[in-house]
Amino acid sequence: MAVSNETGVTHFILLGLSSDPDLQIMFFVLFLIIYLLTIAGNLLIMVTVYVDAQLHTPMYFFLSHLSFLDLGFSTVAIPKTLVNFVSQSKIISFGECIAQMFFIHFFGGAECLHLTLMAYDRYVAICNPLRYTTIMSRRICLLLVVSTWVGGLMHGFGQTFPAVQLPFCGPNEVDHFFCDTHALSLLACASTFFSETADIINSGILAFSSFVVLSISYSYIISTILKIRSAEGRQKAFSTCASHLLVVTLYFGPLVFIYMRPPVTLAGDKLISGFYTIITPVLNPFIYTLRNEKVIKSIKRLRGRKASFLGTHIN
């Protein structure tokens, strides 16, 4: 994929969230804390699922993969943003900008599909419990995860390729804290109708297909839960889906608002973009662990193993 065009623009300037030096320092501290928590929380889930044999099930396999996607998603956006908060020069080269845009949409698209996949997993677990291990075999789980990566690649190229074709003559100031299709297309010195249409179609296909699968899966799930006679059984079945529903709402809501409309600049766009690139990745580990006793117990066992290991070696 080419990373340059016929124009003379060789770099862009990311304006970020604010030009106020005091606010930039405040944002730097806040973003650094959030990023460190994102790394710690998602790595903890990945290590816990890998180490604890009791979590070697499709549900937790998919959860660990979600943590990996969250880690990658935030890493594409936050480190460069942190550097810009404390640097006078907020320059990003044309090639770096296109690469950042691609990986934002690659991880974002893969995560959309993965959350949809997790809804299907819950559907099978609740609606076909006796066939769950047969349907969600290790081979099938691996194939489904690979399909989310392929879908993410297709979405990344679909969002990035139209932007690469646009001519940029200046100005080169991107009113965002990372390179994104909408912010970049506003700087083009030619018609953006093709790129705008391609972006909306690409995002629309991803959002619509995910929405259909999510809706069908949860329609069957809710119908099945309501047929459970005991209140305790209904509560237990619903609790396995509540965390996922919350994550889906927090993730898809901002994405639909940003990408399912023409590229116009609204006052809250940067804050909303920050929600799905920065806030959601740090919230997901807490959402899943705080509501999941099995994961909490596994983390405690992991801590116990670490303490025992350290005690043995110190003695």
Side-chain angles (χ1 to χ4, degrees):
M1 182 178 64
V3 293
S4 61
N5 53 26
E6 298 177 358
T7 65
V9 172
T10 58
H11 65 272
F12 295 100
I13 299 172
L14 295 172
L15 297 182
L17 294 173
S18 173
S19 58
D20 187 312
D22 294 332
L23 281 178
Q24 289 188 44
I25 295 299
M26 184 186 73
F27 281 133
F28 173 82
V29 174
L30 179 62
F31 276 44
L32 180 60
I33 293 172
I34 290 175
Y35 187 51
L36 292 176
L37 287 174
T38 301
I39 294 173
N42 286 291
L43 280 179
L44 180 60
I45 287 182
M46 291 165 63
V47 171
T48 302
V49 172
Y50 178 78
V51 170
D52 196 331
Q54 294 185 27
L55 300 182
H56 291 177
T57 64
M59 176 182 175
Y60 296 105
F61 171 70
F62 294 142
L63 177 58
S64 65
H65 187 255
L66 177 65
S67 292
F68 178 78
L69 291 174
D70 279 333
L71 197 56
F73 200 14
S74 59
T75 298
V76 173
I78 297 182
K80 179 63 176 177
T81 305
L82 289 172
V83 171
N84 287 344
F85 281 142
V86 294
S87 173
Q88 293 295 324
S89 173
K90 306 181 188 302
I91 291 175
I92 183 170
S93 70
F94 187 89
E96 290 173 333
C97 185
I98 296 300
Q100 187 182 53
M101 184 191 306
F102 169 78
F103 282 107
I104 284 285
H105 288 286
F106 164 61
F107 281 110
E111 184 151 339
C112 284
L113 295 172
H114 192 71
L115 288 171
T116 306
L117 168 59
M118 292 176 74
Y120 174 72
D121 172 68
R122 292 299 82 208
Y123 156 74
V124 177
I126 292 174
C127 300
N128 296 280
L130 298 179
R131 300 178 56 206
Y132 180 68
T133 55
T134 303
I135 296 173
M136 303 302 290
S137 65
R138 182 173 179 81
R139 178 174 174 275
I140 294 299
C141 289
L142 287 172
L143 287 174
L144 289 172
V145 166
V146 169
S147 71
T148 65
W149 283 89
V150 173
L153 283 170
M154 293 174 62
H155 181 67
F157 279 113
Q159 291 292 99
T160 306
F161 184 76
V164 176
Q165 309 307 308
L166 292 174
F168 296 97
C169 313
N172 64 345
E173 294 182 339
V174 181
D175 189 17
H176 215 308
F177 63 92
F178 65 86
C179 287
D180 200 11
T181 52
H182 280 188
L184 229 61
S185 64
L186 294 172
L187 302 179
C189 52
S191 173
T192 58
F193 176 78
F194 170 74
S195 63
E196 291 172 17
T197 305
D199 287 349
I200 293 175
I201 291 174
N202 190 18
S203 298
I205 291 173
L206 180 66
F208 180 74
S209 58
S210 298
F211 177 77
V212 168
V213 176
L214 286 166
S215 299
I216 293 174
S217 297
Y218 274 102
S219 294
Y220 280 105
I221 288 172
I222 293 171
S223 176
T224 301
I225 290 175
L226 292 176
K227 292 176 183 177
I228 299 175
R229 293 182 179 181
S230 69
E232 183 181 351
R234 287 194 298 269
Q235 183 178 359
K236 185 178 180 181
F238 181 75
S239 66
T240 64
C241 304
S243 298
H244 181 258
L245 275 173
L246 179 58
V247 170
V248 166
T249 303
L250 292 174
Y251 187 74
F252 277 89
L255 282 176
V256 170
F257 178 81
I258 293 292
Y259 294 107
M260 295 304 295
R261 61 176 170 81
V264 293
T265 301
L266 299 179
D269 277 4
K270 287 187 282 189
L271 291 177
I272 294 172
S273 297
F275 197 85
Y276 65 81
T277 55
I278 298 168
I279 303 301
T280 302
V282 74
L283 287 180
N284 285 352
F286 293 100
I287 291 172
Y288 278 106
T289 55
L290 290 176
R291 295 185 58 88
N292 194 310
E293 292 183 6
K294 198 169 183 179
V295 174
I296 292 174
K297 289 179 180 178
S298 295
I299 291 173
K300 289 180 179 178
R301 284 196 295 270
L302 183 64
R303 290 173 60 186
R305 290 179 186 178
K306 179 182 177 183
S308 177
F309 175 82
L310 291 175
T312 301
H313 282 71
I314 289 173
N315 295 329

